[in-house]
Amino acid sequence: MQPIAVIFTGGTICCRTDDRGIRHSDAAQIGYLLTEEYCKAHGDGQPFLTQMPTNSLSENLQPMHWDIMLDTLRKIDVLAVSGIIIAHGTDSLAETAAMLSCALLGFSLPVVLVSAHTPPDQEYTNAHSNFAAAVAMIQKGLPCGVWVVYENLDGVVYLHHAARLRACANESNEFFSRDMQPCAAVEIAPLQPAPWHDAIPMEHMRPFAQQPGVLLLRPYVGQRYDHVVLDHVAAVVHGTYHSETANSCGNSPYSVRYLLQKTKARQIPCFLAPCNRAAQQYDSAENLVSAGITPLTDASVWLAYGAAMVGIALGYTGDALCRWVVKICQRFER
């Protein structure tokens, strides 16, 4: 039986709780409970190769932490393991999942992210069930790609395509995606992705921390685009309301069209996500597309953000970056 590589990065799944009830990420000690408890509970002889390249609550992650994760993945001998499990916090799980989905296109192993709503040393944690499900999916032959497993409050552990994961809602302990399914019912064959012949050259990616960034904006009443600063920004990702719209009221500083004037002047790509132009029912979004924003049909803001970050790290700018983001996001559409 081939080993499974386990990468501890911190978060609740690697937390300890102090005497005041405050949780602290402690991947060096607590994280390893996952493999220890798995071996005790299952006794199937599954070996693990563990490492802890970083130790941070996921709300504290910075681009340098993503650089560390990718560098760790680059160094794994893909012929020596059957899959990779990354223990990660819940707060920015959807963001990291989306970025890895883009950066690891063509990667030759399944990568499964696992999290928990309470630390693994507490009675009602879902850390161990999530970890065990990730192991089981890899043993079952989970195809290459990036995945998330997570047990919701209904007691069911679900498998998610990482690129389609929605962020956990405030005060919630559950994750959802549009095609999630119980791990126990997963059939491997239908999960096989369409061939992706151009593997992302991770070795050519420049560190995220050393590149101009991606500015992510959300619509809200009162958003002032004349206050937006575009220094050291290589792309803008703008979210939408539930009807996939955003403010397009002429050239008012409250309108995204005002922002588009600024991005065009600097040749900075600007994306609207998600926005299915073919199914759009409001002229507000159509006006933005006509003004030059690039709609991303079936991509969350986090997938758009991750695709842009990876594209910038690969050296794309301007129109080339725009084409890259569109191509990558289309990969994960239905």
Side-chain angles (χ1 to χ4, degrees):
M1 183 182 294
Q2 275 195 308
I4 293 174
V6 182
I7 301 172
F8 300 113
T9 68
T12 301
I13 197 167
C14 297
C15 268
R16 60 177 172 81
T17 307
D18 66 20
D19 294 338
R20 299 174 299 154
I22 303 299
R23 298 171 182 175
H24 306 268
S25 189
D26 189 4
Q29 296 185 33
I30 302 299
Y32 292 96
L33 279 177
L34 295 173
T35 53
E36 292 174 2
E37 291 300 319
Y38 177 88
C39 293
K40 290 178 184 177
H42 297 270
D44 58 3
Q46 175 63 60
F48 300 101
L49 300 176
T50 60
Q51 55 182 310
M52 187 200 72
T54 184
N55 176 37
S56 177
L57 294 170
S58 70
E59 61 268 31
N60 292 335
L61 293 186
Q62 302 172 39
M64 69 175 184
H65 293 102
W66 280 0
D67 291 328
I68 292 170
M69 289 183 202
L70 288 176
D71 191 52
T72 301
L73 291 167
R74 289 187 191 100
K75 295 175 180 177
I76 289 177
D77 183 353
V78 297
L79 299 178
V81 297
S82 57
I84 300 169
I85 296 174
I86 300 177
H88 191 287
T90 55
D91 278 355
S92 60
L93 177 64
E95 299 168 52
T96 297
M99 180 278 293
L100 289 176
S101 296
C102 300
L104 299 182
L105 274 170
F107 194 63
S108 58
L109 289 172
V111 177
V112 186
L113 288 97
V114 295
S115 295
H117 55 54
T118 50
D121 60 350
Q122 295 187 9
E123 182 179 1
Y124 297 106
T125 183
N126 61 356
H128 301 294
S129 56
N130 291 338
F131 185 82
V135 173
M137 293 307 304
I138 292 174
Q139 291 176 338
K140 193 174 181 179
L142 191 65
C144 302
V146 185
W147 309 87
V148 174
V149 296
Y150 194 85
E151 181 185 53
N152 280 351
L153 298 181
D154 59 4
V156 178
V157 185
Y158 293 94
L159 177 71
H160 306 265
H161 285 90
R164 298 167 184 163
L165 188 72
R166 299 204 305 252
C168 186
N170 285 0
E171 304 302 325
S172 170
N173 285 318
E174 299 185 297
F175 281 92
F176 298 93
S177 62
R178 67 170 182 265
D179 52 0
M180 60 194 277
Q181 54 183 313
C183 288
V186 166
E187 295 183 10
I188 295 298
L191 294 177
Q192 296 292 344
W196 182 268
H197 300 293
D198 301 321
I200 304 301
M202 283 200 298
E203 67 277 6
H204 296 155
M205 287 179 60
R206 297 174 293 188
F208 292 128
Q210 298 177 14
Q211 305 307 313
V214 178
L215 178 63
L216 192 150
L217 299 171
R218 296 291 187 92
Y220 60 88
V221 175
Q223 167 73 284
R224 291 285 301 254
Y225 295 100
D226 54 338
H227 294 171
V228 172
V229 177
L230 296 176
D231 295 341
H232 309 295
V233 171
V236 175
V237 172
H238 200 294
T240 55
Y241 289 115
H242 76 95
S243 53
E244 301 190 352
T245 60
N247 192 316
S248 65
C249 57
N251 294 320
S252 160
Y254 297 102
S255 170
V256 180
R257 294 169 71 176
Y258 188 100
L259 172 68
L260 287 170
Q261 293 177 357
K262 298 171 69 172
T263 57
K264 282 183 178 180
R266 296 188 179 218
Q267 297 183 313
I268 296 173
C270 189
F271 304 96
L272 191 65
C275 180
N276 185 347
R277 188 181 186 188
Q280 184 55 243
Q281 297 177 313
Y282 297 93
D283 63 3
S284 51
E286 181 63 29
N287 289 339
L288 294 179
V289 175
S290 299
I293 205 165
T294 300
L296 298 174
T297 301
D298 204 19
S300 68
V301 291
W302 296 127
L303 179 58
Y305 180 84
M309 288 286 284
V310 172
I312 293 166
L314 288 170
Y316 294 111
T317 60
D319 290 341
L321 177 61
C322 187
R323 291 191 295 270
W324 159 269
V325 172
V326 171
K327 175 183 177 182
I328 296 301
C329 289
Q330 287 176 342
R331 164 67 175 179
F332 297 107
E333 294 178 6
R334 281 190 184 272

